[in-house]
Amino acid sequence: QVQLVESGGGSVQAGGSLRLSCAASGYSVYGYCMAWFRQAPGEQRERVAHIGSNGDTIYGASVKDRFTISKDNANNSMYLQMSTLKPGDTAIYYCAAARGISCYSYQYWGQGTQVTVSS
C-alpha cells in the first residue's frame, strides 16, 4: 500500500522560508515522476513543480526561482524548499506520485500540509 506523508508546513511571514517533506512508503521515489501541488481556498489545485524520473524539474511560473524540488533516494523522500514566500503562496500543499515515468497523471496523493504566509 502506497503512502505519502507530507510534513514541514506552518505559518511564516512574507519573505520567509519553509521546507516541505514527503515521505513515501510502499513506493520508491527513484525512477518515477513526483510532484507538488497546492490548493488555495476557492481555487483549483495547481501543480507547483514536478521532478521526473531522470531528475529533470519543471516549475510553475509563479514559483520559479523561489522554490526548489528535489528527491532523496536514500530517504525515499521528496522535498520542496520554498524561499521568499508570499501571501499568495498560502495553500494546502500536496505531494503526488505517478505509477510510471509520465508526469501527466498522478495516482498517489498525500493528505496535504498547510502553508500560511502572512504579510
Side-chain angles (χ1 to χ4, degrees):
Q1 183 179 354
V2 176
Q3 271 197 314
L4 302 174
V5 179
E6 302 97 335
S7 62
S11 297
V12 65
Q13 287 195 323
S17 300
L18 283 174
R19 187 189 192 218
L20 304 183
S21 299
C22 172
S25 59
Y27 178 90
S28 174
V29 304
Y30 174 78
Y32 299 105
C33 187
M34 297 185 72
W36 287 98
F37 285 75
R38 68 185 182 186
Q39 188 167 20
E43 302 287 335
Q44 288 193 337
R45 187 175 294 189
E46 66 167 332
R47 185 167 56 183
V48 173
H50 78 242
I51 181 165
S53 58
N54 58 2
D56 285 354
T57 57
I58 298 288
Y59 296 91
S62 63
V63 306
K64 194 175 181 182
D65 298 328
R66 297 190 298 121
F67 290 9
T68 303
I69 188 172
S70 62
K71 286 194 291 186
D72 183 340
N73 297 334
N75 289 319
N76 209 34
S77 296
M78 178 178 67
Y79 305 98
L80 185 68
Q81 177 66 48
M82 305 186 293
S83 303
T84 320
L85 283 161
K86 305 174 181 179
D89 295 318
T90 295
I92 299 175
Y93 284 71
Y94 298 91
C95 166
R99 283 202 194 104
I101 62 172
S102 171
C103 294
Y104 288 103
S105 65
Y106 300 88
Q107 290 73 39
Y108 307 112
W109 293 82
Q111 297 281 58
T113 186
Q114 176 71 47
V115 171
T116 303
V117 184
S118 58
S119 57

